[in-house]
Amino acid sequence: MSESFRTPAPAGAAPQPGPRADAPLFDRVAFIGIGLIGSSLARAVAHHNLARSTVCTAKDPEHLEVAHGLKLTTDTAPTIAEAVRDADLVVVCVPVGAYAEVAEQLKGNLKPGVILSDVGSTKTSTVRDLAPILPEGAHLVPGHPIAGTEHSGPAAGFAELFIDRWCILTPPPGTDPAAVEKVAALWRAIGSWIEVMEPEHHDKVLGITSHLPHLIAYTIVGTATDLEEDLKQEVIKFSASGFRDFTRIAASDPVMWRDVFLNNREAVLEIMQRFTEDLTALQRAIRRGEAETLEALFTRTRAIRRAIIDAKQA
Ligand SMILES: NC(=O)c1ccc[n+]([C@@H]2O[C@H](COP(=O)([O-])OP(=O)(O)OC[C@H]3O[C@@H](n4cnc5c(N)ncnc54)[C@H](O)[C@@H]3O)[C@@H](O)[C@H]2O)c1
Ligand SMILES: O=C(O)C(=O)C[C@]1(C(=O)O)C=C[C@@H](O)C=C1
């Protein structure tokens, strides 16, 4: 299935969001959670005319107030049951640790034929939590936009967040291809590239590219803040771009990231094990003064950075 939905980035073409759609793709889209990602998606859906109406609900009452004030959706609803009642697309946009609780409230309230999707950072847990409550004739098309910032909440969102970014879809085997295509069409319309993969594979890949880097940033900044007070002040005063980049990542939402690590435990522990071994090898090379080992590693990693930049420019 993966190849047919894939939108390969054409060489030389800068991905652009589609124009405002002539006819909306969906009648009513419900956003469960209206923080950074939910509100960015709501803004993009409205901007591109992808739904006749939209509705959001959220656990934080002030998020609903902000959503109402900024007119992020056509309607707001006080409960999940009310939000999803007439929706033909429901997008869960809450931290992955809240999915089981959300699933309980979705149960028995989804419209026949609904497409249930999400934006969560871990996908095996999405299928585990959402698949069991799916009514007959409904479709589960989990999604993960590989786009974000260190900010949270509805005021932090923006419609352009997903432009030129991947959105990975992880539909369970046997999912109606038409439902997958409809969700893919929505993400394409707002400027994203689509890749379809197995949830377990997604969790391994993101374990390396997203979860481990966040863990490292949290550790480095944590180590710096554990220093004695005068040294800590100097770290703040003299922090140049390297440390600053880590502090941006380490400022990411604590609840979201707590849930990511607890819901991608296996893949994260495995990659941490490999990382720890590599760090130990580096420690030994430094202690022994092995200049060649250090230079060889740093040359290899520099090439990876260049390959990423070249791939973006292709
Ligand atoms: N922040 C990022 O960079 C990023 C990027 C890609 C994907 N994601 C994923 O997107 C999802 C949302 O992240 P975010 O950054 O938008 O978070 P956020 O903290 O900005 O917003 C979360 C929203 O969920 C609501 N919520 C929380 N628990 C709820 C519950 N039990 N019932 C109803 N609403 C509930 C909150 O009220 C809030 O509106 C997460 O699963 C995260 O893993 C985040
Ligand atoms: O740019 C950032 O701030 C991000 O951390 C975005 C990022 C990432 O690691 O790339 C973070 C978590 C998501 O699940 C997807 C994207």
Side-chain angles (χ1 to χ4, degrees), residues 52-314:
R52 284 194 176 81
S53 72
T54 54
V55 57
C56 72
T57 188
K59 197 172 191 175
D60 300 51
E62 62 277 22
H63 282 195
L64 271 194
E65 277 168 37
V66 173
H68 179 71
L70 294 175
K71 296 190 172 57
L72 294 178
T73 47
T74 323
D75 306 298
T76 57
T79 63
I80 290 178
E82 272 183 62
V84 304
R85 200 171 41 207
D86 300 317
D88 52 345
L89 173 67
V90 172
V91 192
V92 178
C93 306
V94 308
V96 292
Y99 275 36
E101 185 188 329
V102 166
E104 270 311 302
Q105 295 168 61
L106 289 172
K107 199 153 67 179
N109 290 308
L110 293 166
K111 198 172 115 152
V114 69
I115 298 178
L116 179 59
S117 188
D118 80 314
V119 294
S121 303
T122 60
K123 301 299 351 147
T124 313
S125 65
T126 296
V127 177
R128 176 198 69 205
D129 291 340
L130 298 185
I133 59 95
L134 209 64
E136 191 71 26
H139 314 278
L140 179 60
V141 185
H144 179 203
I146 314 301
T149 74
E150 68 279 24
H151 303 296
S152 320
F158 52 102
E160 301 77 20
L161 177 62
F162 309 110
I163 298 176
D164 195 11
R165 298 306 188 103
W166 287 103
C167 180
I168 300 176
L169 304 180
T170 64
T175 304
D176 180 1
V180 181
E181 175 48 34
K182 227 173 155 186
V183 175
L186 180 142
W187 285 100
R188 273 191 222 110
I190 64 176
S192 297
W193 302 111
I194 300 296
E195 184 77 66
V196 176
M197 60 176 76
E198 302 279 329
E200 294 76 16
H201 186 66
H202 165 281
D203 287 358
K204 263 192 198 156
V205 173
L206 271 290
I208 301 168
T209 60
S210 176
H211 307 169
L212 182 67
H214 277 79
L215 202 70
I216 293 169
Y218 281 124
T219 312
I220 291 175
V221 178
T223 304
T225 53
D226 280 345
L227 297 169
E228 330 60 280
E229 197 49 42
D230 51 344
L231 198 49
K232 192 157 82 183
Q233 288 311 320
E234 295 216 296
V235 167
I236 294 166
K237 185 171 166 186
F238 296 116
S239 67
S241 58
F243 186 72
R244 262 173 207 270
D245 288 351
F246 282 112
T247 60
R248 185 188 80 74
I249 298 287
S252 300
D253 192 76
V255 171
M256 171 191 154
W257 283 99
R258 174 201 70 190
D259 289 358
V260 167
F261 293 120
L262 295 180
N263 283 277
N264 195 19
R265 214 184 295 232
E266 247 175 66
V268 168
L269 288 175
E270 193 184 323
I271 194 66
M272 275 176 82
Q273 175 66 32
R274 291 173 73 144
F275 177 73
T276 312
E277 287 166 15
D278 290 346
L279 200 62
T280 305
L282 209 53
Q283 192 178 18
R284 193 177 49 227
I286 293 171
R287 186 180 309 110
R288 292 180 180 172
E290 292 171 0
E292 274 173 27
T293 309
L294 297 177
E295 199 178 325
L297 173 69
F298 302 157
T299 304
R300 193 155 55 87
T301 56
R302 180 180 242 192
I304 288 172
R305 166 78 182 174
R306 288 198 175 135
I308 290 172
I309 305 275
D310 289 350
K312 265 236 159 282
Q313 285 165 351

